[in-house]
Amino acid sequence: MAMSAWNQGYTTDVQYTSYFHAEIAPSHIAFAALTSGQRAPDLTGAFAYCELGSGQGVTLNATAAMHPEAQFWGFDFNPAQIANAARLAERAGLANVHFRDWSFAQALENEAQLPRFDVIALHGILSWVSPENRAEIVRFIDRTLKPGGLVYASYNTQPGWAQMAPFRRLAREHYLRHPRRSDLHVPAILSFADAFTEIGAAYFKANPVVPKRLEGMRKQAAAYLAHEFLNTHWEAFYVTDIAREMAAARLDYMTSATLIENVPAASLPPGVSAMLAQHMPDDRLWQELAKDFACNKMFRRDLYARGLNPLSAVEHTSKLAQLRLALAVPRAAAKLAFQGPVGEAGGAPAVYDPILDRLARGPASFAELVAVVPDQDRAKALQAVTLLVHSKQALPLANGVVGKTARAFNEALIAAHFSGESYGLIAAPAARTGLQVSADESMLIGSLLAGAKSAEQAAKHAAERLAANGRAPQQDGETLSGEAAVTFLTERFRPLLGGKLDLWKGLGVV
Ligand SMILES: C[S@@+](CC[C@H](N)C(=O)[O-])C[C@H]1O[C@@H](n2cnc3c(N)ncnc32)[C@H](O)[C@@H]1O
């Protein structure tokens, strides 16, 4: 096992995956606060945002590109990852994002030279670092978060890990006895678990979730699993544990960034809401803990506030009225099925269909959406909008579209894609968020940005650009060139153009 003093037991022999995490985007955090009726800092103009443990920095770079007036800081002690993050920032010409290869302790030492932050985000950190690291994080927050500022913190949660936690220990002990690069060791751990299951080890029988989860793990990247399971430190927390640690920085639990969890009717088994109201009406954290037991929750995305200030009813109504939304999927593809902590929840067509029909005609304000639901029921409209955003079928829109910096960022992503280093991402500046895109979509968007007006023109442009990078489209293992490449790409682009062009235009992508 590659181990050195600086990594403090955290996996550093293989880099973490690069992925855009929509939940830590300022636009998402602002939406979660607003729909929960809580006051949040203004995250539209010149705010300051920090990500602790920023990994490959994809999310930070994308959000910086879409908020050119704000300042973004990312710290991660893995120098290879910070170098990648800084390289993407440089290629996109971003001047408002600052990456440092600092540990949490070094960020704390250097706090005097940092701005005071409106938001500090930690995605995938707390469960995988030492208690000392968590204390450094809390001290950093205490010193650098503005009053009224928000913290996003996600972590593995109990009781949902109760069955799986011993598997993580088994994996870690196995790895300690077979020192090699951590990701390369992942398949050996999975085979070992299989063999153990086959010979009837009672742990796997008594905890049937474990073999099921092992199946899922086979589809995940080995690097991801190495970071999830093979660190020295690993702990799944009860929500009250984290709340107590955050209290040392005078933080109060605000709401969930997993939006469906803020809609009890869609995220709790029947009867739970009534039980919470009866037994624990005034205790938010006790309620959160009970909800985690009701749902056997495995992962939480918490928002904490440094000073909790609910919006007054008048403010809430007026801020909601200003909220504008756009459809993020073709109307025909919209589904009234929302994935939550206890499975799928359905939506009433009588409420959702008119909202979706209205959005299919173009962006609408929340007030306009309330007007189309039966009885102009504001609470039902708010619930529907929350779940449509949760399921990424609708997106809250920003005021005004950011042109230049988001365009330059997207050009950098497209150039990376054509050269064979794909991020699978495109910035949607009208919504200040990122969209996952396929390889074909990346090439098509790149061609549209370069001026292509039809599937044929786009295919010609994409084929030329691939060729300029020494690459070519592949069909059934065969490399295509010339006319065959253009015909092949044209066929792939045509349906995308029909289905997605209007959406991309609406979201400011092209
Ligand atoms: C699971 S990854 C999450 C990365 C990123 N937030 C994301 O979601 O893509 C955890 C990150 O924390 C960083 N990290 C762990 N311990 C750290 C420490 N003590 N100081 C700074 N960074 C640390 C790791 O290098 C890694 O990039």
Side-chain angles (χ1 to χ4, degrees), residues 25-255:
S27 54
H28 182 92
I29 290 175
F31 181 82
L34 172 61
T35 49
S36 304
Q38 299 292 337
R39 191 179 302 282
D42 181 358
L43 299 179
T44 56
F47 61 92
Y49 179 108
C50 169
E51 187 180 1
L52 290 175
S54 49
Q56 302 283 1
V58 174
T59 312
L60 209 62
N61 274 316
T63 46
M66 290 182 280
H67 294 274
E69 292 162 32
Q71 293 294 322
F72 292 80
W73 290 80
F75 307 121
D76 196 298
F77 67 5
N78 187 321
Q81 295 178 170
I82 285 290
N84 278 341
R87 191 163 56 96
L88 178 57
E90 198 184 313
R91 283 190 293 185
L94 292 172
N96 61 332
V97 63
H98 318 279
F99 289 102
R100 301 284 182 271
D101 63 344
W102 290 345
S103 66
F104 304 136
Q106 286 171 316
L108 187 59
E109 277 164 28
N110 286 299
E111 57 93 6
Q113 54 171 290
L114 299 174
R116 302 300 96 165
F117 295 110
D118 295 282
V119 175
I120 297 177
L122 303 121
H123 186 62
I125 309 295
L126 294 178
S127 286
W128 298 270
V129 299
S130 67
E132 295 74 36
N133 287 158
R134 295 204 310 279
E136 288 157 8
I137 288 168
V138 172
R139 274 204 297 283
F140 180 84
I141 293 170
D142 191 31
R143 303 243 181 103
T144 63
L145 189 67
K146 286 182 189 168
L150 306 183
V151 167
Y152 168 105
S154 63
Y155 52 94
N156 280 347
T157 307
Q158 289 292 25
W161 278 90
Q163 290 192 36
M164 275 296 286
F167 166 77
R168 128 74 202 179
R169 174 56 74 92
L170 193 68
R172 167 76 189 162
E173 295 288 346
H174 193 280
Y175 170 57
L176 279 176
R177 282 157 185 80
H178 299 80
R180 66 187 298 205
R181 209 176 81 192
S182 55
D183 58 326
L184 298 179
H185 189 59
V186 166
I189 292 174
L190 296 177
S191 307
F192 173 74
D194 280 348
F196 220 5
T197 309
E198 263 165 44
I199 58 167
Y203 164 68
F204 294 92
K205 269 198 210 150
N207 298 287
V209 154
V210 179
K212 253 209 229 147
R213 291 213 168 260
L214 287 173
E215 271 318 302
M217 280 182 210
R218 276 169 230 288
K219 297 183 199 112
Q220 289 173 306
Y224 167 79
L225 294 172
H227 283 255
E228 171 68 53
F229 288 115
L230 300 184
N231 299 304
T232 306
H233 303 282
W234 185 96
E235 193 169 349
F237 295 104
Y238 295 95
V239 57
T240 42
D241 295 338
I242 297 299
R244 284 189 189 106
E245 293 193 4
M246 293 295 181
R250 289 176 292 152
L251 296 175
D252 288 316
Y253 176 74
M254 189 173 90
T255 194

Side-chain angles (χ1 to χ4, degrees), residues 13 77 100 110 168 186 193 248 255 262 272 282 301-302 304 306 347 425-426 434 438 441 443 446 477-478 485 501 510:
D13 57 355
F77 67 5
R100 301 284 182 271
N110 286 299
R168 128 74 202 179
V186 166
T255 194
N262 302 329
V272 174
D282 306 324
R301 297 179 184 89
D302 289 346
Y304 283 84
R306 184 162 211 168
L425 170 73
I426 206 79
S438 67
E441 288 173 344
M443 290 193 287
E478 199 187 314
L501 184 60
V510 295

Side-chain angles (χ1 to χ4, degrees), residues 380-426:
K380 285 204 172 120
L382 182 58
Q383 182 170 321
V385 159
T386 303
L387 294 184
L388 288 171
V389 174
H390 168 75
S391 57
K392 298 190 165 54
Q393 301 187 93
L395 286 168
L397 292 180
N399 290 328
V401 176
V402 182
K404 262 183 23 214
T405 49
R407 171 73 182 250
F409 179 71
N410 278 344
E411 298 279 7
L413 293 179
I414 299 294
H417 181 83
F418 277 111
S419 72
E421 185 193 358
S422 189
Y423 291 87
L425 170 73
I426 206 79

